[in-house]
Amino acid sequence: MMSARAVVLALSGLVAAGALLDLRVALRSDLAPISADDMAAAKARIEAVQQPGDVIVHSPLFSVRELQGLGDLPARPDRPTAGVMATRRVLVLDRAEAQMYGLGRPESEEAVGEHLVLKTYAPQGGGVLAVFDLLTQLGSGMMSVERPVGHRTSVCTQPRAEGGWACPGEAEWLYAAPRSLRVGGQDAQCVWAHPTTGGAVVFTLPAPGAAPEGRKLVLKLQAGLNDDAVTGTPDGAPVFVAVEQAGKDLGRLEVPNQVGWHRLEVPVGPEQVTLRITTPRDGRRHHCINAQIVEEVAK
Amino acid sequence: MTMRRAGWLAAGLVALYLVLQLAGLKQVGLTDDDDFYIPAGIEYAKWLGRVVRFDRGAFTQQAIEAAFSPNHEHPPLAKYVFGVCHFAFGAWLGPTDSARVGTVLFSTLTAALLMVLALFHLGPRRGLFAGVVGVLLLLALPRFYFHSHAATLDVPVAAMYLLAATCALLAERRGWAAWVAGVTFGLASATKLNGPFLIAPYLVFALVVRRGTGGPRARGLVSLPRLPFALFPMAVVGPLVFLALWPWMWFDLFPRVGQYVGFHLHHYGIYFLYFGTIYDKDPFAPWHAPFTMAAITVPVATSLLAAFGLWLGRTAIWSRIARPTAYGEGYRREGDLLLYSVLNAAVAILVVALSGGPKYGGAKLFMPFFPFWCLLAGYGALRLYEAAQEALPRPWARVVPITATALAVVASAGLQLRFGGYALSEYNALAGGLRGATATGFERQYYDIAFRDLVAWLNEHAPKNARVHFLPNNWEYVRTYKWYRQGGELRDDIQVTQAPGQAQLIIVTHERRFARYGNDLLQHRKYEVLEEKVVDSVPIWSVLKVR
């Protein structure tokens, strides 16, 4: 049993300690800014270890000035979801003094300069490795427009102010860019893939290369229409996504005028994969896709 | 110390509170809610003007619908005050800060009520000590201070809830207060939806402290305690006051009451970032989110004092639960204050935790919690001081507890001064400050605040006829910046444009709860940074020159 004196001293001490902790927050100075050299070194290091399908995350504490040192590296401050952590290798560029929480134990960790740390998280989901992800690796010229189908008339290489690439000679709503759409009642990130009447929007995914022995490549495709586009257009036409590789049809995903995602998984080979998107009527077909090529254990 | 002298000292402190709150008016930026409530308040006040001029036309359905249609999803009391203040102080303070004087007045009422509660229940000397500490801690509470300057309903309902709660508690010992409780309960209900929830902690309190006082008709196995008389005016006068104050309800009562309740039962989703996950729909966020937010935003020493107050006052609380008719009147009053405060604090936060509604900003929706919590902290400081008098030799008996309490006030004020107009970015040491909280996955700001230092920067540096676009949530700034232009605080030639393609300046506000933020940042970080506001090593806004 503590004496009354000890109780008073303990409680007063706790209050004072709590106050001093807050005072420290109130009076401390800002962290030293990350130098351009350190950011450039971090970028070089990430590019050296980066593999196809890696997700790159940076600390939400970086200012825009600091982030400019990362150049065009496709890094974002969004914390990866559990699903991404399970299936993708994640590279995290963090501030050494205030590190991100909740990502678990990294596979490896290395200091970059004085104030940065690069952490690598291995996928935890049983050997599935994403080798290509359209959302994060979408690039100039990856999308084109055929009009009519089979006759390429425009390659989407013109940078847009809002991000992504416009398709010269085509309507401004035909472009390649990541977007946030509400699909199935949830905000989701996906690649804008608005089809066009009398033509096709085509995504050409780079050749993934051959899978090592005992493993196989699978294309995981999901496609959906913005919820408002579905509910506001009762007679909206379906959208079709045809999967082709080396001149062969591998499968076709039909996206009816319904709320929610539609999915297709097909084994693919090492060559380029083509996604050809068509519709009979393009009115309010606010359509987007996610496409991943993953490598997994062959059964 | 006489009660009269204590009362004057308390009045002086409340006056100081008012002055310091008014001093912050020009520091706190407009929020997205200001543009809802100020225009509504102006319309309501215009209608009030017709009423006081005895204009019969004011009472026609057409006039009422026209006046009360704006923001009819929330009750009107605070908006009347905003509107009246807008017209009273507009010439000196401009169109928005004048209306916000109304919120400052509500906040000041809260401080006054804390003093009333403390003095009445603890006596002049002890009540003054606990009340002064409680009011100082409330004054220095960063997020409450911010909300005390926004023309929104959260601090007003905290004040009116506390007013009704105070009257109901006073009614335990003063008969007249029961009728006032009925009226003020109606006023609280006419302020925001939090108001009616007072009935729950009051009923629990009233039943607990009346246990064993079986009413005259109590018969049989169960002896029901006598119900407090104040319940009657609260149940009858309260709804009448509520309806009398809200003409929107007069002509279409039941459907509109249904709409009012339905709006809150099915509230649209509001993004909330919690431990790195974005919650935007039912159930919006885990039940523990409000508790966590309170724990990491209320200064640590304030919460410790409140917790110690509960612990050191546990005997007084338990005496009211276990033996409600025993002990002297002074001890019963003390127990009543503590039991009542903890019940109200708990319900104020539990309502948000368990309601299944949005947890917008984490702390905004349970403002009624904070005055009770600060009162408990003031009581904790008092009991610590009293315990030291018995346990420590002089001069330590005074030095130790007063130093600890003074440090608590100074630390809280320190956080407030550090974050200033960025008080919604304030996190305490448990979260590692703002930088720790951001790294942990909490939002660095909310409410789409149109920061005043950004407005000043634009006035000084933006090119002529500048078009500005905010990312990721531009629309709210279209609404708030028009007020700055109207009030002469923003250059006439600067416009917030909805078309990012037309903007010369893009301002990124770094709010991660918007799913598009990551892409926005990725796409725009290549542009020249003209200015960047960093608070506690966390970027809050960045001005980018895009053309």
Side-chain angles (χ1 to χ4, degrees):
Chain A
M1 194 75 175
M2 288 174 79
S3 69
R5 175 179 294 193
V7 169
V8 168
L9 290 175
L11 297 187
S12 300
L14 280 170
V15 171
L20 290 173
L21 284 171
D22 275 347
L23 265 180
R24 184 173 158 272
V25 169
L27 299 176
R28 70 187 176 188
S29 54
D30 282 347
L31 299 171
I34 307 293
S35 69
D37 286 348
D38 278 358
M39 269 300 184
K43 178 176 186 255
R45 184 65 192 134
I46 290 170
E47 286 174 338
V49 300
Q50 187 182 1
Q51 296 171 5
D54 282 356
V55 170
I56 307 171
V57 175
H58 65 70
S59 166
L61 270 58
F62 293 143
S63 67
V64 178
R65 280 197 179 98
E66 292 168 332
L67 286 170
Q68 288 179 333
L70 294 182
D72 57 358
L73 197 71
R76 294 177 176 79
D78 310 316
R79 177 180 298 176
T81 62
V84 170
M85 292 297 290
T87 56
R88 309 286 292 272
R89 206 172 72 135
V90 178
L91 306 177
V92 176
L93 181 62
D94 216 344
R95 276 217 69 132
E97 308 92 332
Q99 300 191 19
M100 295 175 73
Y101 164 87
L103 295 173
R105 182 185 290 273
E107 182 187 44
S108 66
E109 189 171 341
E110 60 179 298
V112 181
E114 200 178 342
H115 303 291
L116 295 174
V117 58
L118 177 62
K119 293 185 273 193
T120 304
Y121 294 84
Q124 303 144 0
V128 176
L129 179 67
V131 295
F132 176 78
D133 177 52
L134 183 63
L135 181 70
T136 55
Q137 294 173 263
L138 180 67
S140 173
M142 213 172 269
M143 177 177 141
S144 58
V145 178
E146 296 178 351
R147 197 178 296 285
V149 176
H151 179 66
R152 178 181 291 186
T153 52
S154 179
V155 180
C156 309
T157 54
Q158 188 177 326
R160 300 168 71 240
E162 300 87 348
W165 295 270
C167 314
E170 290 291 344
E172 49 88 23
W173 44 265
L174 281 174
Y175 60 84
R179 287 278 307 266
S180 293
L181 292 187
R182 197 160 188 85
V183 180
Q186 288 191 313
D187 289 324
Q189 293 196 340
C190 49
V191 175
W192 182 250
H194 197 307
T196 179
T197 309
V201 165
V202 179
F203 286 89
T204 305
L205 315 188
E213 192 174 343
R215 296 175 71 83
K216 64 176 181 178
L217 294 166
V218 176
L219 172 73
K220 295 188 171 185
L221 178 67
Q222 66 172 169
L225 292 159
N226 185 288
D227 288 357
D228 287 345
V230 172
T231 54
T233 319
D235 61 344
V239 178
F240 302 100
V241 184
V243 183
E244 301 158 14
Q245 190 174 42
K248 283 194 276 189
D249 290 339
L250 300 185
R252 191 169 88 141
L253 178 63
E254 179 177 349
V255 183
N257 191 40
Q258 291 173 359
V259 167
W261 289 107
H262 303 273
R263 292 180 174 81
L264 176 70
E265 283 191 24
V266 288
V268 295
E271 301 88 3
Q272 281 186 344
V273 176
T274 302
L275 307 176
R276 183 166 277 107
I277 300 164
T278 56
T279 184
R281 297 186 309 281
D282 62 14
R284 279 176 66 81
R285 296 301 77 191
H286 298 172
H287 172 253
C288 77
I289 61 172
N290 277 313
Q292 276 191 345
I293 298 174
V294 302
E295 182 194 291
E296 58 187 34
V297 177
K299 291 174 182 167
Chain B
M1 173 75 69
T2 63
M3 187 59 91
R4 185 183 177 84
R5 183 175 165 79
W8 279 111
L9 289 171
L13 177 68
V14 172
L16 177 68
Y17 183 99
L18 173 64
V19 169
L20 292 175
Q21 291 284 352
L22 287 173
L25 266 178
K26 291 288 180 188
Q27 185 189 26
V28 174
L30 289 178
T31 71
D32 55 30
D33 270 355
D34 285 270
D35 182 52
F36 288 125
Y37 300 125
I38 294 174
I42 291 170
E43 291 306 313
Y44 297 7
K46 283 181 183 169
W47 181 84
L48 269 187
R50 294 180 68 182
V51 171
V52 297
R53 289 195 304 272
F54 302 106
D55 176 353
R56 285 189 179 182
F59 292 98
T60 63
Q61 183 169 3
Q62 190 183 7
I64 285 171
E65 301 269 321
F68 289 90
S69 178
N71 195 242
H72 61 259
E73 56 271 26
H74 290 290
L77 179 70
K79 288 173 275 183
Y80 285 126
V81 178
F82 299 155
V84 169
C85 288
H86 165 86
F87 287 112
F89 305 113
W92 297 287
L93 295 170
T96 53
D97 289 331
S98 54
R100 291 168 140 210
V101 170
T103 318
V104 168
L105 294 175
F106 280 111
S107 184
T108 307
L109 172 63
T110 307
L113 291 167
L114 289 190
M115 292 306 309
V116 169
L117 280 169
L119 291 174
F120 185 82
H121 291 92
L122 300 173
R125 191 183 61 78
R126 301 178 76 223
L128 191 65
F129 188 112
V132 165
V133 174
V135 167
L136 288 177
L137 290 173
L138 185 73
L139 176 65
L141 198 60
R143 293 192 178 221
F144 195 85
Y145 188 83
F146 184 98
H147 285 285
S148 292
H149 295 86
T152 63
L153 308 184
D154 302 293
V155 162
V157 79
M160 298 313 294
Y161 182 106
L162 185 62
L163 176 62
T166 302
C167 292
L169 186 58
L170 291 179
E172 294 290 302
R173 293 172 176 86
R174 299 284 186 274
W176 56 266
W179 290 102
V180 185
V183 174
T184 52
F185 181 66
L187 296 176
S189 302
T191 307
K192 202 183 176 188
L193 191 63
N194 309 59
F197 285 98
L198 167 63
I199 209 77
Y202 176 62
L203 202 54
V204 172
F205 168 81
L207 293 177
V208 165
V209 300
R210 280 171 176 73
R211 215 161 47 81
T213 64
R217 291 185 204 136
R219 295 284 186 276
L221 295 175
V222 179
S223 172
L224 286 174
R226 201 170 50 228
L227 289 174
F229 176 68
L231 264 183
F232 170 69
M234 287 171 80
V236 176
V237 180
L240 291 176
V241 170
F242 172 79
L243 291 175
L245 283 174
W246 201 358
W248 176 254
M249 295 285 174
W250 291 356
F251 294 99
D252 211 3
L253 178 61
F254 292 107
R256 288 192 171 171
V257 169
Q259 284 171 16
Y260 173 50
V261 176
F263 172 78
H264 292 282
L265 284 178
H266 310 288
H267 202 287
Y268 53 82
I270 299 174
Y271 301 130
F272 179 56
L273 183 71
Y274 186 63
F275 284 108
T277 298
I278 299 170
Y279 294 89
D280 69 333
K281 60 184 177 56
D282 195 17
F284 295 109
W287 64 269
H288 45 76
F291 296 97
T292 305
M293 290 303 297
I296 63 176
T297 60
V298 175
V300 176
T302 302
S303 287
L304 284 173
L305 279 172
F308 296 160
L310 285 173
W311 186 59
L312 294 169
R314 65 191 184 284
T315 314
I317 295 174
W318 187 243
S319 74
R320 300 300 286 140
I321 296 171
R323 301 180 65 192
T325 54
Y327 302 101
E329 166 65 2
Y331 202 55
R332 283 208 300 270
R333 282 195 188 197
E334 187 168 334
D336 281 357
L337 180 67
L338 295 176
L339 178 60
Y340 195 58
S341 294
V342 74
L343 284 172
N344 276 287
V347 168
I349 202 164
L350 277 169
V351 164
V352 180
L354 304 179
S355 69
K359 313 286 187 280
Y360 184 37
K364 170 186 182 295
L365 297 179
F366 54 89
M367 282 291 136
F369 162 82
F370 295 106
F372 290 107
W373 198 238
C374 287
L375 184 60
L376 289 170
Y379 178 79
L382 168 70
R383 291 300 307 272
L384 199 56
Y385 179 84
E386 290 174 339
Q389 302 315 300
E390 294 176 8
L392 300 181
R394 290 183 183 278
W396 304 111
R398 287 191 174 184
V399 170
V400 169
I402 287 179
T403 302
T405 302
L407 271 175
V409 175
V410 168
S412 193
L415 284 174
Q416 190 172 107
L417 290 171
R418 170 71 192 263
F419 288 93
Y422 292 79
L424 296 191
S425 302
E426 178 266 341
Y427 289 90
N428 66 23
L430 293 181
L434 175 59
R435 76 173 71 140
T438 306
T440 305
F442 292 96
E443 191 56 283
R444 68 195 71 194
Q445 59 164 308
Y446 67 94
Y447 235 164
D448 305 296
I449 306 165
F451 294 108
R452 287 188 132 111
D453 50 354
L454 174 57
V455 174
W457 186 91
L458 287 170
N459 285 336
E460 193 173 341
H461 297 97
K464 190 164 175 53
N465 299 318
R467 296 293 176 269
V468 180
H469 185 83
F470 286 80
L471 288 175
N473 193 27
N474 186 71
W475 168 239
E476 306 295 358
Y477 299 91
V478 175
R479 296 167 54 224
T480 45
Y481 268 62
K482 76 176 182 222
W483 287 104
Y484 285 140
R485 197 176 307 107
Q486 187 181 325
E489 291 184 60
L490 178 70
R491 267 174 30 203
D492 283 342
D493 61 303
I494 298 174
Q495 284 198 3
V496 180
T497 175
Q498 278 285 72
Q502 293 175 1
Q504 287 108 44
L505 303 177
I506 292 278
I507 298 170
V508 181
T509 55
H510 300 284
E511 289 152 289
R512 290 162 67 196
R513 66 187 178 278
F514 295 98
R516 58 175 292 174
Y517 165 63
N519 281 336
D520 286 339
L521 188 60
L522 181 60
Q523 288 161 16
H524 291 87
R525 72 189 193 205
K526 63 190 174 197
Y527 294 110
E528 182 186 356
V529 181
L530 297 179
E531 182 68 3
E532 201 155 33
K533 181 70 180 183
V534 175
V535 178
D536 196 23
S537 308
V538 177
I540 304 292
W541 50 260
S542 309
V543 184
L544 310 178
K545 182 181 178 185
V546 293
R547 59 176 55 82

